[in-house]
Amino acid sequence: MTTERIQRRIEQLLDQADEAINALDWEIVNARAQAVLAFDPDNQDAQGYLDAAERATGGSSGHQPEPTQLDDSPQTPNSFSDGRYQVKRFLGEGGKKMVYLAQDKLLDRDVAFALIKTDGLDQVSRNRISREARAMG
Protein backbone atom coordinates (compact mmCIF):
# COMPACT_ATOMS: atom_id res chain seq x y z
CA MET A 1 0.00 0.00 0.00
CA THR A 2 1.31 3.45 -0.93
CA THR A 3 1.94 5.80 1.99
CA GLU A 4 0.61 9.36 2.03
CA ARG A 5 4.16 10.67 1.69
CA ILE A 6 4.86 8.62 -1.44
CA GLN A 7 1.46 9.55 -2.89
CA ARG A 8 2.26 13.26 -2.35
CA ARG A 9 5.60 12.77 -4.10
CA ILE A 10 3.89 11.02 -7.01
CA GLU A 11 1.45 13.94 -7.31
CA GLN A 12 4.36 16.43 -7.25
CA LEU A 13 6.14 14.52 -10.01
CA LEU A 14 2.97 14.41 -12.10
CA ASP A 15 2.47 18.16 -11.58
CA GLN A 16 6.05 18.74 -12.75
CA ALA A 17 5.35 16.58 -15.81
CA ASP A 18 2.25 18.73 -16.52
CA GLU A 19 4.35 21.88 -16.39
CA ALA A 20 6.94 20.31 -18.70
CA ILE A 21 4.20 19.37 -21.18
CA ASN A 22 3.11 23.01 -21.26
CA ALA A 23 6.71 23.96 -22.07
CA LEU A 24 7.00 21.08 -24.57
CA ASP A 25 10.04 19.85 -22.62
CA TRP A 26 9.65 16.18 -23.42
CA GLU A 27 12.88 15.10 -21.71
CA ILE A 28 11.55 16.37 -18.38
CA VAL A 29 8.15 14.77 -19.06
CA ASN A 30 9.93 11.47 -19.72
CA ALA A 31 12.09 11.74 -16.59
CA ARG A 32 9.19 12.62 -14.28
CA ALA A 33 6.98 9.87 -15.72
CA GLN A 34 9.74 7.30 -15.22
CA ALA A 35 10.22 8.50 -11.64
CA VAL A 36 6.50 8.03 -10.95
CA LEU A 37 6.60 4.55 -12.49
CA ALA A 38 9.52 3.68 -10.19
CA PHE A 39 7.16 4.31 -7.25
CA ASP A 40 4.00 2.99 -8.88
CA PRO A 41 4.56 0.76 -11.95
CA ASP A 42 0.83 0.70 -12.74
CA ASN A 43 0.28 4.48 -12.71
CA GLN A 44 -1.79 5.22 -15.81
CA ASP A 45 -1.06 8.96 -15.83
CA ALA A 46 2.69 8.38 -15.81
CA GLN A 47 2.42 5.73 -18.52
CA GLY A 48 0.37 8.11 -20.66
CA TYR A 49 2.95 10.87 -20.20
CA LEU A 50 5.80 8.48 -20.99
CA ASP A 51 4.05 7.31 -24.15
CA ALA A 52 3.41 10.92 -25.23
CA ALA A 53 7.04 11.89 -24.59
CA GLU A 54 8.26 8.92 -26.61
CA ARG A 55 5.97 9.80 -29.52
CA ALA A 56 7.01 13.45 -29.37
CA THR A 57 10.73 12.63 -29.39
CA GLY A 58 10.60 9.51 -31.55
CA GLY A 59 12.23 7.55 -28.73
CA SER A 60 11.35 4.20 -27.27
CA SER A 61 11.68 2.64 -23.84
CA GLY A 62 10.57 -0.75 -25.03
CA HIS A 63 6.92 -0.01 -24.32
CA GLN A 64 4.87 -0.48 -27.46
CA PRO A 65 2.21 2.19 -28.04
CA GLU A 66 -1.35 1.12 -28.66
CA PRO A 67 -1.87 0.22 -32.32
CA THR A 68 -5.04 2.28 -32.56
CA GLN A 69 -4.49 5.75 -34.01
CA LEU A 70 -6.73 8.26 -32.29
CA ASP A 71 -5.98 11.21 -34.58
CA ASP A 72 -8.89 10.39 -36.88
CA SER A 73 -11.25 9.36 -34.09
CA PRO A 74 -14.53 11.27 -33.96
CA GLN A 75 -13.68 11.96 -30.30
CA THR A 76 -10.65 14.06 -31.26
CA PRO A 77 -11.76 17.71 -31.32
CA ASN A 78 -10.64 20.11 -34.05
CA SER A 79 -10.10 23.06 -31.73
CA PHE A 80 -10.50 24.45 -28.21
CA SER A 81 -11.35 27.88 -26.80
CA ASP A 82 -13.43 29.12 -29.73
CA GLY A 83 -10.76 28.16 -32.28
CA ARG A 84 -7.74 29.68 -30.55
CA TYR A 85 -6.09 26.24 -30.22
CA GLN A 86 -6.19 24.18 -33.42
CA VAL A 87 -5.62 20.49 -32.63
CA LYS A 88 -2.82 18.87 -34.62
CA ARG A 89 -2.87 15.44 -33.01
CA PHE A 90 -3.66 13.44 -29.91
CA LEU A 91 -0.58 12.89 -27.70
CA GLY A 92 -1.79 10.69 -24.89
CA GLU A 93 -4.26 9.97 -22.17
CA GLY A 94 -3.97 9.24 -18.49
CA GLY A 95 -6.44 8.71 -15.72
CA LYS A 96 -7.06 12.44 -15.35
CA LYS A 97 -6.22 14.11 -18.65
CA MET A 98 -6.23 13.83 -22.41
CA VAL A 99 -3.30 15.69 -23.99
CA TYR A 100 -3.28 17.13 -27.50
CA LEU A 101 -0.64 18.88 -29.58
CA ALA A 102 -2.26 22.12 -30.72
CA GLN A 103 -1.33 25.34 -32.51
CA ASP A 104 -2.02 28.48 -30.46
CA LYS A 105 -3.30 30.84 -33.15
CA LEU A 106 -2.98 33.93 -30.93
CA LEU A 107 0.69 33.37 -30.02
CA ASP A 108 1.61 31.41 -33.17
CA ARG A 109 3.26 28.49 -31.39
CA ASP A 110 2.72 24.82 -30.67
CA VAL A 111 1.38 23.96 -27.23
CA ALA A 112 0.35 20.86 -25.34
CA PHE A 113 -3.31 21.23 -24.45
CA ALA A 114 -4.40 19.09 -21.49
CA LEU A 115 -8.13 18.45 -21.32
CA ILE A 116 -8.98 17.54 -17.74
CA LYS A 117 -11.54 14.81 -17.17
CA THR A 118 -14.05 16.00 -14.59
CA ASP A 119 -16.49 13.07 -14.61
CA GLY A 120 -16.93 11.70 -11.11
CA LEU A 121 -15.00 14.49 -9.38
CA ASP A 122 -16.35 15.96 -6.17
CA GLN A 123 -16.43 19.72 -5.53
CA VAL A 124 -13.15 19.67 -3.57
CA SER A 125 -11.36 18.05 -6.52
CA ARG A 126 -12.91 20.52 -8.96
CA ASN A 127 -11.73 23.44 -6.80
CA ARG A 128 -8.20 21.98 -6.65
CA ILE A 129 -8.08 21.61 -10.42
CA SER A 130 -9.29 25.20 -10.87
CA ARG A 131 -6.56 26.46 -8.53
CA GLU A 132 -3.91 24.46 -10.38
CA ALA A 133 -5.13 25.76 -13.74
CA ARG A 134 -5.02 29.37 -12.51
CA ALA A 135 -1.51 28.86 -11.11
CA MET A 136 -0.25 27.31 -14.36
CA GLY A 137 -1.88 30.03 -16.45
Side-chain angles (χ1 to χ4, degrees), residues 15-92:
D15 289 344
Q16 291 169 4
D18 284 336
E19 292 170 11
I21 287 171
N22 289 336
L24 298 177
D25 188 341
W26 296 107
E27 290 179 23
I28 296 295
V29 173
N30 186 306
R32 297 308 181 265
Q34 287 187 18
V36 170
L37 292 172
F39 285 111
D40 179 5
D42 298 321
N43 189 289
Q44 292 179 2
D45 290 327
Q47 191 60 60
Y49 289 164
L50 184 61
D51 292 345
E54 289 172 356
R55 283 192 298 273
T57 61
S60 176
S61 69
H63 175 77
Q64 295 298 317
E66 295 293 321
T68 305
Q69 292 294 323
L70 297 178
D71 292 347
D72 297 325
S73 167
Q75 296 174 340
T76 301
N78 292 324
S79 66
F80 295 106
S81 296
D82 295 324
R84 175 177 175 178
Y85 302 98
Q86 296 295 313
V87 175
K88 290 185 170 185
R89 70 177 190 267
F90 178 78
L91 294 176

